[in-house]
């Protein structure tokens, strides 16, 4: 199979056995790679109702067909499992260089099952797989120290995907790390790796990916790189990177501030891209990416890749911290212990709010950086008040009798776009397959970043959200980077080489819809229902007291109507279950006979 290795590596940690299976060619045809293959495999491997932290939850690593080729930005890895944070499917993406290394070692997919009897590290060198005892050497190490040690042992070409102390301690928002600063951040894949007594997967590959007409393919990829990737549309990535969003989103009244009390942050100027550019010392790139958007900043005694916009929003504005060095240190602490900065910032902001409201006594306060900087380590180790914060926002709010202070959807803390300043993001969060997520549908682009959308209206947003979700699903079969401006023509130029024929935008969106509906079937099988496609009461009915979006709320009635419209456009019934016709149209009927799950 050109572009694919045609092999799936299965790691049974319970028996410490490795085996290789052929990649299902029909799955590759229908689901392509990345998100598609990951969800198809998860649907097969996950028994309904499995506890996310039990040995029965598979951890799946999926590459895309273009990883390891000259295609730009396709070196990203898709990581998936059932999420311990949400109980939904989880797919999370990470850049760096791990995915090409996995292809060079000979694998499209890795399926990790069971739980090792004692901590291990898995070492893959082409077709040689070793289960190395991790206790006393690797287990307990923070992410940078672990990578340093492994590179010293195996050489610089060894690529590491690891969990930190937070994952070892099963914190439900623990992330996976690779190339030190790259994170598969959301949804708790780090805890799932930890629950398997697995510290890291290390891969070193010496093979190559075969493509038909390699010279022609390379020529075409270079043309696309010049004309499309390094175009003016993408210049923001290397000029400023995601921090440019701080001013734009705060200016729209959508930057969560003081635990979502308002959306305009008075300290934005201290943590925006201008502030970061003044201390930027270099830029880095994922493998095979000419955009090099990874901004490296030098602070007094350390360097930090990032912080990215979401971290600046949730760990800065939302905690009322306008000290850039403090936000960067918080970012570094999260990176070292293996925590998702987004959920950690959201949880710490909630804890500050609980303290201010008299519902908790953690000694945390908005804007107080001393307590704030201790939080990531306490959470990762579940020490002191960290044991309660490690529950995540939904459980912490419930524990303290204030669920109203914990903005989350399906248990995932909301990203740094307050829907009261960009209504369409609310529908996107509510219907996202892995809980509140800005990466499935990004209507903020139309609402507040120069598009034609009305930020304070849900009209037309159901169509927009469906189309963006379907497009993102097909883009992540690739697995292209979401930082780049993508469209069906660009994807089609790659699929032409993959399939040897032209594709239409409709055909590509059908692949996306197939993957999205497969995810829906998975989530329904796990017990999710219409009532889980919700938004926090605060977003629906409590307006900001000030700022650009003051006085605006989505409203329960308007949200209900938009959700009805969304289900109708998807071909789902009023409860959000795909109909028989929808499943047949998308070649999914066999996964759910009769349209029910
Ligand atoms: S745009 Fe940035 S994050 Fe995306 S692949 Fe390139 S370097 Fe990596």
């Amino acid at each position: 199979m050109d572009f694919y290795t045609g092999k799936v590596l299965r790691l049974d940690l319970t028996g410490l056995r490795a085996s290789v299976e052929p990649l299902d060619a029909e799955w590759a045809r229908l689901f392509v790679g990345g998100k598609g293959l990951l969800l198809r495999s998860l649907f097969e491997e996950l028994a309904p109702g499995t506890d996310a932290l039990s040995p029965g939850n598979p951890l799946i690593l999926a590459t895309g067909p273009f990883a390891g080729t000259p295609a730009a930005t396709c070196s990203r890895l898709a990581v998936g499992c059932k999420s311990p944070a949400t109980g939904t499917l989880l797919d999370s993406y990470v850049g760096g260089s791990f995915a090409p290394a996995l292809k060079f070692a000979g694998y499209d997919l890795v399926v990790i099952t069971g739980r090792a009897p004692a901590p291990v590290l898995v070492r893959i060198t082409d077709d040689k797989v070793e289960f190395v005892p991790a206790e006393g050497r690797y287990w307990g190490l923070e992410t940078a120290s672990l990578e340093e040690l492994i590179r010293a042992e195996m050489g610089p070409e060894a690529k590491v995907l690891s969990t930190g102390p937070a994952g070892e301690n099963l914190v439900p928002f623990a992330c996976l790390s690779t190339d030190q600063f790259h994170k598969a951040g959301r949804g708790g894949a780090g805890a799932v790796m930890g629950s398997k007594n697995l510290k890291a997967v290390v891969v070193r590959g010496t093979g190559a990916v075969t493509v038909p007409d390699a010279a022609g393919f390379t020529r075409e990829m270079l043309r696309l790189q010049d004309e499309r990737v390094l175009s003016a549309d993408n210049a923001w990535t290397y000029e400023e990177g995601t921090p440019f969003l701080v001013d734009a989103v705060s200016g729209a009244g959508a930057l969560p501030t003081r635990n979502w009390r308002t959306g305009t942050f008075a300290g934005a100027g201290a943590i925006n891209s201008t502030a970061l550019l003044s201390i930027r010392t270099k830029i880095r790139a994922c493998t095979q990416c000419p955009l090099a958007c990874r901004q490296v900043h030098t602070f007094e005694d350390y360097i930090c890749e990032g912080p990215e916009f979401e971290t600046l929003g949730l760990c800065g504005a939302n905690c009322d911290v306008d000290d850039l060095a403090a936000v960067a240190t918080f970012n570094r602490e999260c990176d070292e212990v293996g925590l998702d900065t987004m959920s950690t910032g959201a949880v710490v902001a909630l804890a500050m709010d609980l303290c201010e409201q008299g519902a908790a006594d953690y000694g945390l306060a908005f804007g107080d950086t001393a307590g704030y900087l201790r939080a990531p380590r306490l959470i990762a180790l579940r020490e002191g008040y960290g044991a309660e914060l490690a529950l995540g926002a939904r459980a912490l709010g419930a524990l303290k009798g204030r669920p109203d202070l914990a903005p989350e959807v399906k248990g995932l803390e909301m990203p740094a776009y307050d829907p009261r300043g960009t209504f369409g993001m609310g529908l996107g969060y509510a219907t996202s397959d892995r809980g509140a997520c800005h990466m499935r549908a990004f209507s903020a682009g139309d609402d507040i970043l120069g598009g034609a959308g009305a930020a304070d209206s849900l009209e037309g947003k159901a169509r927009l959200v469906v189309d963006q979700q379907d497009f993102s699903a097909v883009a992540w079969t690739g697995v292209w980077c979401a930082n780049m401006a993508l469209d069906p023509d660009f994807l089609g130029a790659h699929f032409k080489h993959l399939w040897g024929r032209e594709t239409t935008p409709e055909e590509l969106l059908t692949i996306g819809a197939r993957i999205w509906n497969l995810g829906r079937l998975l989530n329904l099988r796990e017990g999710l229902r219409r009532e889980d496609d919700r938004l926090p009461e605060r977003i629906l009915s409590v307006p900001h007291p000030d700022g650009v979006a003051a006085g605006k709320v989505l409203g329960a009635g308007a949200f209900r109507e938009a959700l009805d419209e969304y289900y109708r456009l998807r071909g789902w019934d009023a409860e959000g279950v795909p109909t028989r016709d929808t499943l047949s149209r998308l070649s999914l009927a066999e996964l759910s006979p009769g349209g029910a799950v």
Side-chain angles (χ1 to χ4, degrees):
M1 295 171 79
D2 288 326
F3 286 98
Y4 297 91
T5 68
K7 288 191 290 183
V8 178
L9 177 63
R10 182 175 288 276
L11 301 173
D12 164 19
L13 291 174
T14 304
L16 299 180
R17 279 186 300 263
S19 56
V20 177
E21 299 166 356
L23 177 69
D24 187 313
E26 181 67 358
W27 287 12
R29 187 181 72 80
L30 289 171
F31 300 98
V32 188
K35 178 168 182 145
L37 277 184
L38 189 153
L39 292 191
R40 185 64 187 85
S41 179
L42 187 61
F43 195 89
E44 207 68 23
E45 299 285 338
L46 180 72
T50 300
D51 185 307
L53 295 176
S54 74
N57 188 14
L59 180 64
I60 300 170
L61 317 180
T63 64
F66 306 110
T69 77
T73 85
C74 292
S75 68
R76 300 177 72 77
L77 179 77
V79 175
C81 54
K82 179 175 176 177
S83 164
T86 65
T88 65
L89 66 87
L90 172 64
D91 59 319
S92 188
Y93 300 84
V94 62
S97 49
F98 190 89
L102 199 54
K103 291 279 286 282
F104 298 153
Y107 309 104
D108 296 310
L109 243 72
V110 181
V111 179
I112 305 169
T113 59
R115 173 184 290 150
V120 294
L121 174 146
V122 173
R123 219 156 49 191
I124 303 167
T125 311
D126 296 330
D127 53 4
K128 179 176 167 194
V129 178
E130 302 162 278
F131 297 89
V132 182
E135 196 85 81
R137 185 160 186 81
Y138 307 115
W139 196 254
L141 285 185
E142 295 183 354
T143 58
S145 312
L146 177 76
E147 285 198 21
E148 211 173 295
L149 175 61
I150 290 171
R151 277 194 291 269
E153 290 175 346
M154 290 183 70
E157 65 279 17
K159 306 301 174 192
V160 183
L161 183 73
S162 71
T163 191
E168 294 173 16
N169 291 317
L170 310 183
V171 176
F173 45 99
C175 63
L176 292 176
S177 304
T178 188
D179 287 359
Q180 191 173 352
F181 296 112
H182 295 255
K183 311 290 171 182
R186 309 238 67 198
V192 173
M193 185 179 269
S195 76
K196 299 190 167 306
N197 262 337
L198 175 61
K199 180 63 180 174
V201 178
V202 183
V203 64
R204 204 168 51 176
T206 59
V209 178
T210 55
V211 301
D213 181 19
F217 178 70
T218 302
R219 255 195 323 275
E220 172 76 342
M221 292 303 109
L222 289 174
R223 181 188 71 76
L224 288 171
Q225 178 170 306
D226 287 346
E227 294 176 11
R228 294 295 314 276
V229 182
L230 290 169
S231 68
D233 282 350
N234 297 322
W236 66 270
T237 57
Y238 49 84
E239 286 175 352
E240 294 184 77
T242 59
F244 94 88
L245 287 161
V246 170
D247 287 337
V249 178
S250 184
L255 190 66
T257 299
R258 294 174 69 87
N259 195 33
W260 301 86
R261 289 189 197 180
T262 186
T264 306
F265 182 43
I271 61 168
N272 64 8
S273 66
T274 308
L276 280 161
L277 282 172
S278 71
I279 53 169
R280 185 171 86 175
T281 43
K282 62 177 173 178
I283 50 176
R284 294 176 69 211
C286 302
T287 295
Q288 202 57 41
C289 179
L291 290 174
C293 80
R294 315 288 301 185
Q295 324 265 328
V296 180
H297 304 102
T298 300
F299 294 87
E300 241 170 52
D301 55 349
Y302 63 95
I303 62 160
C304 177
E305 193 175 300
E308 299 288 346
F309 164 70
E310 296 292 340
T311 305
L312 294 163
L314 292 165
C315 308
N318 209 31
C319 295
D320 206 6
V321 172
D322 62 2
D323 175 342
L324 188 54
V327 178
T329 303
F330 189 94
N331 189 155
R332 184 190 59 176
E333 290 290 283
C334 290
D335 283 355
E336 289 291 317
V337 297
L339 284 172
D340 171 29
T341 56
M342 292 172 65
S343 287
T344 308
V347 167
V348 171
L350 168 61
M352 290 170 166
D353 208 356
L354 290 168
C355 291
E356 191 165 294
Q357 306 282 333
D361 186 16
Y362 302 134
L364 291 166
F366 287 119
D368 170 22
T369 56
Y372 157 90
L373 289 174
R374 281 194 294 274
R377 231 156 258 273
L378 291 176
I379 293 170
L381 300 176
R382 293 182 181 267
E383 287 178 356
Y385 66 72
E388 290 191 353
L389 272 60
L391 297 170
R394 175 186 273 191
L396 179 61
L399 178 73
K400 296 299 180 186
R402 295 302 304 269
D404 56 310
L405 296 182
E408 47 75 26
V409 177
K410 299 186 178 81
L412 193 65
E413 295 77 13
M414 294 203 309
Y417 303 87
D418 189 323
R420 287 166 293 187
T422 166
F423 280 21
M425 291 301 283
L427 188 62
Y429 291 170
T431 57
S432 156
D433 50 6
R434 66 173 189 179
C437 180
H438 61 297
M439 304 291 285
R440 275 56 183 153
F442 188 69
S443 66
D446 294 68
D447 287 351
I448 62 177
L449 297 176
D456 58 354
S457 168
L458 280 168
E459 205 177 326
K461 297 296 162 56
R463 178 81 266 165
L464 184 70
V465 167
V466 167
D467 289 348
Q468 290 184 337
Q469 288 172 341
D470 287 351
F471 186 73
S472 76
V474 71
W476 290 342
T477 64
V479 180
W480 285 276
C481 179
N483 279 357
M484 185 172 60
L486 297 167
D487 62 33
D489 278 352
F490 182 79
L491 268 54
H494 293 71
F495 274 81
K496 186 175 171 184
H497 290 268
L498 180 66
W499 287 344
R501 62 176 176 80
E502 302 286 345
T503 53
T504 62
E506 292 71 32
E507 182 179 7
L508 294 179
L509 285 175
T510 298
I511 296 169
R514 178 180 300 131
I515 294 167
W516 196 265
N517 276 269
L518 173 63
R520 185 69 178 183
L521 293 179
L522 241 166
N523 280 344
L524 290 168
R525 203 174 69 174
E526 290 304 313
L528 274 86
R529 293 293 177 261
R530 177 177 176 128
E531 50 268 32
D532 297 295
D533 294 338
R534 51 170 273 280
L535 282 174
E537 189 56 33
R538 177 187 286 203
I539 301 299
L540 292 176
S541 58
V542 181
H544 294 162
D546 52 28
V548 178
K552 297 189 173 168
V553 290
L554 280 73
F559 174 72
R560 200 166 40 246
E561 284 173 21
L563 189 60
D564 285 342
E565 170 77 351
Y566 172 91
Y567 284 175
R568 193 182 62 71
L569 291 170
R570 279 244 168 259
W572 298 353
D573 70 13
E575 293 306 305
V577 178
T579 64
R580 184 195 305 254
D581 285 351
T582 299
L583 295 178
S584 296
R585 180 174 61 81
L586 297 171
S587 309
L588 291 173
E590 69 176 71
L591 298 184
S592 181
V597 291

